[in-house]
Amino acid sequence: MGGAGKGGGALLPTSLAETWFDRLTKFYLIPEGPFLAVWDRLVVFSALINCILISFMIAFNHFTPAAWICSYAIDSIFLLDIYIKFHVAYLQNGLWVVFSKEMALNYLHSGQFRFDVLANLPYDLIALGWIQDPQGLYVLALTRTIKMIRGATIISFFGRQEKKLHANFGTQILKFIFYLCTLEHCVACMWFAIACPLGTAISCKRPSWVYGSANRNSTVNIAPLLQTGLDGEEWVFGLGSNYVHSLYWTVVTMTTTGYGDISAKNDTERVFALTTMIIGILFYGYVSGTIASSLSNMDSRRVAYHQKMDAIRQYMNDRDMDSDMQERVLEYYDYMWERNKGIDVKNLFEDMPSTFKSEVALSLNNSIIEKASIFAGCSIGFKRKVAISMKLYLFTANEYVIHKGDLGTEMFFITQGRIDVFWTTDLQRPTASLIDGAHFGEFQTILGYKHEYSARAVCNTDIYVLSREDLDVAFNAFPDDKKLVMNATSNRYTVALNSRKSRDFGAETPTDVTSEFGQAQVPPLTSRSSSNMKLAKRRSSNGFLVKSQERILDDIQPSRQLAFKSHSLKGSKNSLNNLTMGGAASDVIIAIVESSNSELDNPPSVPELPARMEPRISEESRGSVLQSQMTQSRSRLSSNA
């Protein structure tokens, strides 16, 4: 008995098999598993070829060795299919039954077994009585006609596929192609066989459509397919041309076009033509209706979304909302449709069990969580809890993500788009920009500070949001991970605070704040000197794209310039002046500017640092860090002197 492989079931080999015989007999297969998925498609294709080949051989008297070899190869495939079905597992009380005896009995008692036996009996033996007859091959082919019932395999296969909810429109198109090929080919063969019952020229009836149009002056006449030769009736055209003529009549008749160039010449042909037209109307009507219904269902979400948009417009008009706000609302919903096509992604997996849903959420959001270094080293259970709590929000261009002075209650993870950060109140000159991969808000969410900056979307931006309430739930469930996250946040905040202090005293202490914002890839900045190369590198390490550095120069006050010159920057004509736009914020935004030979004036005032921090960072530690930085600054001044 075989073991279940990936995706369900294994054909060969098994751990219990000791010989090749065991490997070929002691196995089981799970329905819709990898092997059966391929095998079923092979059987369906063989059924299509079987129907086409048998009807063609009988109608056109085509008995070449290649045709017979192909016919019996198809028989071998269907016999092997019977053997495989004895080893297909089945469900009983929610469990797969994989024992050889039970699987065999289940197949023997099914209607599928009786059908397979009927379709694969050796009917060829009936033709042995005509083996010496000149028409022996024709009789042999005629006895194989019953094997065309294998075509029912095509219907049952596509029926199973369409029962699946994830079956797509391509499955229906493929089904109609198989149906169309089988039906029109068989009708074409029957149309030719009515005119020439044995498929030979001498067996053709007169009058018949193969003799062409009776009225030679008609504009829709067709040349006869037969001519009288020395040995009697002979084909004017070859086998291929005869088949094309038959197929041509079938298509134009079933589609009710009916050009009249090939037409019925006797009562038998007329009755068959009437039947063909009725079948064609029904078949093409079914195909057209099914395709139209499928296309309508595919567009059902768009229709529902339009109805929702109409309701929103009506509500805004009833409430006399100003036109600018209405435009912003409509633009938001336009972007929602562009991104999600009307799918409510927030509640998409609500029907799943919680454990399965958390695994799906981690699979979707794990790359985002890994970029946040405060979650490094956390357990997989904690990450699942965080992943399932993250919610996707869409921000259109010029919409604010946060406002300065708001209490920080959410962490933000940028997955697409760009966010401008403003430290000034005029909101005219962005200090920095965050792009894909950056994250911010953890200091406010975890340490409980207010935002000291505003953040606004530059373009349509996708942001995953983790609220403080959801984070507290995860902390309560995983206290060890809470300690890791709190320590990592406190340590990084200490580094950020020390960095701002060191810059305030003019020290060139290197900092590492990349992990604070994730690994956001920023575009390279054009530099004109080696100092500018260092500037671009420092900007990249900060996780920001700092913009409009030339405009920032206009705001620098002479007092700040003199303060820098009194320290390590004295005597330098072209140097970098670091201004700390600090505060107890998650994204410590550092605007790095390039000084010029001209005097720099009007520096912006540095925002006050928070009066106190959480107990995790004591006043003594802050004082010791400050003293250490001042000592480094004095040492640098002495060395420069």
Side-chain angles (χ1 to χ4, degrees):
M1 183 176 62
K6 183 178 181 180
L11 180 61
L12 295 172
T14 70
S15 58
L16 300 179
E18 298 179 356
T19 64
W20 278 104
F21 179 78
D22 290 338
R23 294 180 180 181
L24 293 174
T25 57
K26 297 180 179 180
F27 67 89
Y28 69 88
L29 295 166
I30 301 297
E32 301 301 330
F35 176 80
L36 281 183
V38 176
W39 177 256
D40 288 344
R41 285 160 176 76
L42 175 62
V43 171
V44 169
F45 182 75
S46 300
L48 175 66
I49 301 300
N50 176 79
C51 293
I52 292 176
L53 186 59
I54 291 178
S55 57
F56 185 83
M57 292 173 66
I58 296 173
F60 293 90
N61 199 29
H62 184 70
F63 305 127
T64 61
W68 289 111
I69 292 174
C70 185
S71 295
Y72 287 108
I74 293 174
D75 289 350
S76 301
I77 291 176
F78 278 92
L79 290 175
L80 182 59
D81 182 59
I82 293 177
Y83 177 75
I84 288 176
K85 287 177 179 177
F86 275 103
H87 297 82
V88 175
Y90 64 94
L91 279 174
Q92 187 176 39
N93 298 327
L95 299 175
W96 288 110
V97 178
V98 296
F99 300 103
S100 300
K101 181 179 179 180
E102 283 73 10
M103 290 188 296
L105 291 175
N106 180 69
Y107 177 54
L108 287 173
H109 295 157
S110 66
Q112 182 66 46
F113 174 73
R114 292 187 287 272
F115 172 81
D116 290 339
V117 170
L118 181 63
N120 292 280
L121 285 175
Y123 299 104
D124 309 58
L125 299 177
I126 300 175
L128 292 178
W130 288 268
I131 192 66
Q132 301 297 330
D133 193 276
Q135 300 296 329
L137 291 178
Y138 180 81
V139 175
L140 177 61
L142 198 62
T143 57
R144 293 178 56 83
T145 307
I146 195 172
K147 293 181 180 291
M148 291 181 64
I149 64 174
R150 293 168 176 169
T153 305
I154 301 175
I155 300 175
S156 63
F157 172 78
F158 284 108
R160 294 194 305 270
Q161 297 301 313
E162 290 181 332
K163 288 180 180 178
K164 301 176 182 177
L165 290 178
H166 61 270
N168 53 28
F169 184 64
T171 302
Q172 289 188 336
I173 296 298
L174 186 62
K175 178 187 73 173
F176 292 140
I177 291 175
F178 272 61
Y179 288 0
L180 186 66
C181 291
T182 305
L183 179 61
E184 294 199 343
H185 169 82
C186 291
V187 172
C189 292
M190 293 173 67
W191 174 247
F192 187 84
I194 290 174
C196 305
L198 298 179
T200 58
I202 58 175
S203 66
C204 294
K205 299 177 182 179
R206 186 186 291 269
S208 174
W209 68 269
V210 295
Y211 287 96
S213 300
N215 186 4
R216 297 301 180 183
N217 296 325
S218 174
T219 57
V220 293
N221 65 77
I222 183 173
L225 303 183
L226 289 171
Q227 64 182 3
T228 303
L230 297 177
D231 298 329
E233 298 289 344
E234 297 178 352
W235 294 114
V236 177
F237 307 104
L239 177 64
S241 180
N242 292 344
Y243 176 73
V244 170
H245 278 76
S246 299
L247 187 62
Y248 167 78
W249 175 87
T250 302
V251 173
V252 298
T253 303
M254 293 187 70
T255 57
T256 68
T257 305
Y259 292 114
D261 46 358
I262 299 178
S263 57
K265 295 298 186 294
N266 55 58
D267 291 341
T268 304
E269 292 178 352
R270 292 186 185 97
V271 171
F272 184 77
L274 289 172
T275 305
T276 301
M277 284 185 279
I278 294 173
I279 294 175
I281 292 172
L282 296 176
F283 176 75
Y284 281 101
Y286 165 72
V287 171
S288 301
T290 305
I291 292 178
S293 177
S294 300
L295 293 176
S296 177
N297 292 333
M298 290 175 62
D299 207 37
S300 60
R301 286 200 305 268
R302 180 184 292 273
V303 173
Y305 205 77
H306 276 298
Q307 293 175 348
K308 180 179 180 179
M309 293 293 293
D310 292 339
I312 292 172
R313 290 191 187 95
Q314 185 64 41
Y315 178 78
M316 291 189 297
N317 291 331
D318 293 342
R319 297 300 300 270
D320 294 328
M321 185 181 293
D322 63 89
S323 58
D324 291 339
M325 182 57 69
Q326 288 191 31
E327 186 66 24
R328 290 172 60 186
V329 171
L330 295 178
E331 287 178 358
Y332 173 79
Y333 281 103
D334 285 342
Y335 182 55
M336 283 275 290
W337 172 260
E338 179 184 345
R339 292 291 294 142
N340 300 326
K341 296 297 184 280
I343 300 174
D344 184 9
V345 296
K346 296 179 182 178
N347 301 315
L348 196 59
F349 302 110
E350 287 300 318
D351 296 333
M352 287 184 175
S354 58
T355 52
F356 188 22
K357 185 167 60 175
S358 62
E359 292 178 4
V360 173
L362 183 61
S363 175
L364 294 172
N365 301 331
N366 186 54
S367 60
I368 303 172
I369 296 174
E370 292 295 333
K371 292 179 181 179
S373 59
I374 62 172
F375 298 136
C378 293
S379 65
I380 191 67
F382 177 80
K383 291 182 179 179
R384 287 196 194 100
K385 192 63 178 177
V386 170
I388 202 172
S389 301
M390 298 175 67
K391 297 178 177 61
L392 177 64
Y393 287 89
L394 308 180
F395 293 86
T396 55
N398 299 321
E399 294 295 332
Y400 281 90
V401 181
I402 55 176
H403 289 281
K404 185 174 182 179
D406 289 349
L407 182 63
T409 59
E410 294 174 326
M411 288 181 59
F412 303 92
F413 303 82
I414 303 174
T415 59
Q416 178 175 306
R418 183 164 173 162
I419 298 294
D420 272 353
V421 179
F422 300 87
W423 284 87
T424 59
T425 57
D426 58 3
L427 302 178
Q428 296 298 322
R429 298 178 179 179
T431 308
S433 292
L434 300 177
I435 57 176
D436 304 356
H439 60 87
F440 58 99
E442 63 265 34
F443 289 166
Q444 288 86 350
T445 304
I446 297 174
L447 301 180
Y449 290 106
K450 292 183 179 181
H451 291 291
E452 298 191 359
Y453 56 90
S454 297
R456 185 174 66 191
V458 178
C459 56
N460 292 336
T461 305
D462 298 355
I463 299 179
Y464 276 91
V465 177
L466 178 63
S467 67
R468 176 184 295 176
E469 291 77 8
D470 292 330
L471 193 58
D472 288 340
V473 172
F475 282 160
N476 293 334
F478 300 91
D480 293 337
D481 294 300
K482 176 182 179 180
K483 296 178 181 178
L484 290 176
V485 174
M486 298 296 286
N487 291 335
T489 306
S490 300
N491 293 337
R492 189 161 52 258
Y493 185 83
T494 303
V495 172
L497 183 64
N498 294 339
S499 173
R500 294 196 296 272
K501 291 178 180 178
S502 63
R503 287 192 180 90
D504 196 32
F505 283 97
E508 294 291 338
T509 304
T511 61
D512 182 14
V513 294
T514 303
S515 60
E516 189 174 338
F517 313 103
Q519 300 294 332
Q521 300 296 320
V522 297
L525 300 176
T526 305
S527 58
R528 297 182 298 272
S529 62
S530 60
S531 63
N532 280 345
M533 293 292 291
K534 296 179 180 178
L535 170 64
K537 184 177 180 181
R538 186 172 301 175
R539 288 174 179 170
S540 178
S541 69
N542 286 334
F544 289 114
L545 175 62
V546 182
K547 301 182 359 179
S548 306
Q549 61 170 324
E550 300 297 337
R551 290 182 292 178
I552 296 177
L553 292 172
D554 300 335
D555 295 335
I556 301 178
Q557 297 176 358
S559 60
R560 175 54 63 110
Q561 172 67 11
L562 295 176
F564 283 127
K565 287 184 177 181
S566 65
H567 291 81
S568 61
L569 303 180
K570 183 178 180 181
S572 176
K573 293 183 179 180
N574 294 302
S575 60
L576 295 177
N577 299 276
N578 298 332
L579 300 176
T580 304
M581 310 293 187
S586 79
D587 36 309
V588 185
I589 304 177
I590 304 165
I592 305 176
V593 299
E594 179 187 5
S595 63
S596 61
N597 293 329
S598 62
E599 283 294 318
L600 305 178
D601 52 332
N602 301 325
S605 60
V606 180
E608 291 289 341
L609 295 178
R612 64 178 184 87
M613 295 179 54
E614 294 289 326
R616 290 179 294 274
I617 306 178
S618 63
E619 294 294 337
E620 289 78 10
S621 62
R622 294 176 59 186
S624 61
V625 172
L626 179 60
Q627 183 178 1
S628 174
Q629 298 302 330
M630 293 183 66
T631 302
Q632 295 180 9
S633 179
R634 293 192 188 97
S635 299
R636 183 177 293 274
L637 290 174
S638 300
S639 61
N640 290 338

